[in-house]
Amino acid sequence: MANSARKGPSSLTIFSTAFVLLWIVIASFPFLWTLWGSFKVQGDFFSKADWRYALNGTRTLVETGGQFTGAGYAGAWIEQEFWRAALNTTIVVFFTVVISLTLGTLGGYALARSGYNYAFWLLMIALVFRAMPHITLVSGYLLPFFQWNLWGHLPTTIIVLVAINQPFTLWMLHSFFLNIPKDLDESAMVDGCTQFQAFRYVIIPVMWPGVITTGLFSFLLAYNDFIVTAMLLSRDNQTMVPAIAGFLGSTFEEGNVMFAVAAVVSTTAPLFVLVMFFQRQIVSGLTAGAVKG
Amino acid sequence: MTHRSFLMFILPSLAAMILFIALPLVSVVVQSLHIEHEQVLKVTENCGPFGCKEETTVDAEATAALRAEKPIGRFNGLGTYFDRGHLAIEDVATAWAERTSLSGFFSDLYNLPLYKAIAFTITYTVVVTPLTILLGLMIALGVNRVTPILKGPTIFVSLLPMIVTPLIGSLILFWMIDAQGIIGKSLQFIFDDPELSLKASPPLTWITLMTYGVWHSAPFAFVVFYAGLQTVNTDTLEAARIDGADRWQQVRYVIIPHLMPLVVFISLIQLMDNFRVFEPIVGFSAEANATSLSYIIYSDLRGDTMRFNSAAATSVLTVLGVIVLLLPVLIRTWRDFKGKVV
């Protein structure tokens, strides 16, 4: 409503701006505060004496001789071997996204192009599957996985995450493929392509915007997962989120909290970068389901 | 598309879903009908100077062998569902028979683990969903009015609470509301109560968890509503203004009806997500004051003795809950679909 003819009374604009600014503070302050605090010692992060310690770094100055300290990061990444968890996360996330998208594009394309009733029912079943709490599925896996010695390995977790991801990926890609005109692949098939050739030579070159958006959400699901990774991975294969939860077991040992704080900031940083670069795609992905589905 | 090529395209995806979503659900049902083997007892005769005594001891070896051979346990029918850790029909019946007041009955019920979890899960779902929609709508209407320079940064910042790992988001807030954290200290100052702790009492813990829930999900509602606002028909708005509608009436009679389909969509997604609330409880270490259905399954599955059967029974009950939750949507979609066919 930028149109000046429709500008309302200025008091309303001021109120709106104030409200939006308040929301910006509510949304961002926790992150800024934790980022700032992660370079302090525990005595400043949790200010026993005076909250201004966190700003001035009074205890940090006493304990380390500087305003800022990287002790939390050193402790987490080196002493507690958080790099191992980061590496595991990279592996799990990469393969989950690639496999999810491969299966999802094929399935989503089929659902978008099939006019039969069963395509509709499959989408409905996928919706029900999407609503299943992940922990109920995990409680189904655990016993068989223990029996068949599948428990604890990265590939098992990747496959499980791919499967849990499928209902959502199918829905999203299905609605993207509906937007690609049917005429494109139909004319290719009139020219003698098989269905697969039409998909390969006509659809694949134009599907990337939708695939990238869906990929972002697959990435978030795999990266943010706690339940599956915490329950299905052995200690050596742990990813970042369960590793942070592990730090908390010994929380109130002096200094250990700062390891967790540093790990939390390290884990959040890639998400920041992601939002910065892909804001447009994330927004369009969130609205795609609503507007089209 | 022919049936054959449809099948070829969908097969990998379908196989993944059948193997890792449908079969686990079957596995959960089967597990919930079984219970761990009882310990194998053996009777030995112990002879001392004062005669012989029969002694019953646990045959650890045989027990371990039996458990290894048939890990799923022995068939127990619906026993697990009705025991004290789940539906607890006996305790409920006693509580009902001995009730002095209705609230007394409910507080007895609240002492049973499953009912405690149900109480929190449902309250959380019912409270957080509408508040999320309301806050999201307010932010969207606000952002729609501010200067264009502010819009980009607002959307960027707004996405953060939603996109950050739920466990991490709740941990960040947990540290801030700690009695020594910045929010905790501020609250102590505002209410002039140096002993105030948000972790101490159940009501405060519930409020904290729900506040986190709204903070986490409002961005989603905001983004969807904001996109919806860009497509409001300006002619209708213009006409309403000419007819003398004030700001509030424009929102109430033009904008909100336009956004109604989005409200339905957001409610659906939020109901599904809020019903499985789990990570905040771990992040806020709130399990003493608030447990959810997902949390009690999780706590059954960790620790030294994993109670698969107990977890499975709760899982089945949870899945039934999800289906009840989705039933209105499914029925509506089915009607629409039938309407199209006929």
Side-chain angles (χ1 to χ4, degrees), chain A residues 117, chain B residues 334-342:
Chain A
N117 287 351
Chain B
W334 190 66
R335 280 210 190 116
D336 289 354
F337 182 68
K338 287 281 276 191
K340 257 186 252 166
V341 173
V342 172

Side-chain angles (χ1 to χ4, degrees), chain A residues 77-105:
Chain A
W77 282 87
I78 300 162
E79 197 183 308
Q80 299 285 333
E81 302 197 322
F82 195 62
W83 58 269
R84 218 184 270 279
L87 194 67
N88 287 330
T89 298
T90 315
I91 298 171
V92 168
V93 167
F94 176 77
F95 285 104
T96 305
V97 171
V98 170
I99 302 173
S100 284
L101 288 180
T102 314
L103 303 192
T105 15

Side-chain angles (χ1 to χ4, degrees), chain B residues 101-330:
Chain B
S101 64
L102 207 57
S103 67
F105 171 67
F106 281 118
S107 78
D108 279 351
L109 213 55
Y110 188 72
N111 286 329
L112 297 163
L114 183 76
Y115 291 99
K116 190 179 169 187
I118 289 177
F120 177 74
T121 311
I122 290 181
T123 316
Y124 183 88
T125 312
V126 171
V127 171
V128 171
T129 309
L131 285 182
T132 300
I133 291 174
L134 195 66
L135 181 62
L137 182 62
M138 283 167 67
I139 302 170
L141 287 173
V143 172
N144 213 18
R145 300 219 115 253
V146 299
T147 56
I149 317 157
L150 253 168
K151 285 182 183 170
T154 312
I155 296 177
F156 169 71
V157 169
S158 298
L159 287 175
L160 294 177
M162 175 191 71
I163 243 147
V164 82
T165 318
L167 184 79
I168 286 180
S170 45
L171 269 177
I172 288 177
L173 291 189
F174 177 67
W175 289 323
M176 292 175 75
I177 62 152
D178 187 276
Q180 291 157 9
I182 178 138
I183 297 181
K185 267 269 198 281
S186 311
L187 287 177
Q188 286 175 357
F189 179 74
I190 293 169
F191 292 103
D192 197 20
D193 176 5
E195 298 299 311
L196 183 72
S197 164
L198 288 178
K199 301 169 191 169
S201 77
L204 286 178
T205 312
W206 283 39
I207 292 171
T208 313
L209 288 171
M210 288 173 198
T211 312
Y212 163 78
V214 175
W215 180 75
H216 172 70
S217 332
F220 169 65
F222 154 63
V223 170
V224 174
F225 281 137
Y226 185 71
L229 282 179
Q230 309 311 311
T231 61
V232 170
N233 188 336
T234 44
D235 291 345
T236 321
L237 215 54
E238 191 87 42
R241 205 173 298 115
I242 292 169
D243 288 347
D246 61 26
R247 293 257 146 222
W248 163 245
Q249 285 170 330
Q250 288 170 30
V251 171
R252 171 68 188 81
Y253 296 106
V254 180
I255 295 181
I256 291 187
H258 176 75
L259 295 180
M260 227 32 216
L262 301 185
V263 172
V264 175
F265 164 74
I266 298 172
S267 319
L268 173 67
I269 302 281
Q270 284 300 310
L271 284 177
M272 294 198 279
D273 288 353
N274 290 334
F275 192 75
R276 56 181 172 214
V277 52
F278 168 70
E279 278 102 337
I281 297 177
V282 179
F284 283 100
S285 313
E287 60 273 15
N289 294 326
T291 53
S292 70
L293 287 167
S294 291
Y295 188 84
I296 54 176
I297 301 172
Y298 171 76
S299 70
D300 268 342
L301 289 177
R302 59 202 297 262
D304 298 332
T305 49
M306 297 193 189
R307 285 173 296 169
F308 293 117
N309 317 110
S310 169
T314 318
S315 298
V316 172
L317 294 169
T318 310
V319 169
L320 291 178
V322 170
I323 290 173
V324 170
L325 205 67
L326 281 184
L327 215 52
V329 183
L330 292 177

Side-chain angles (χ1 to χ4, degrees), chain A residues 182-211:
Chain A
K182 241 182 174 154
D183 308 348
L184 273 183
D185 36 335
E186 272 171 8
S187 58
M189 283 165 72
V190 170
D191 290 347
C193 284
T194 63
Q195 184 89 49
F196 184 78
Q197 281 169 332
F199 175 72
R200 168 71 189 81
Y201 296 107
V202 180
I203 298 298
I204 286 188
V206 297
M207 72 179 186
W208 294 109
V211 170

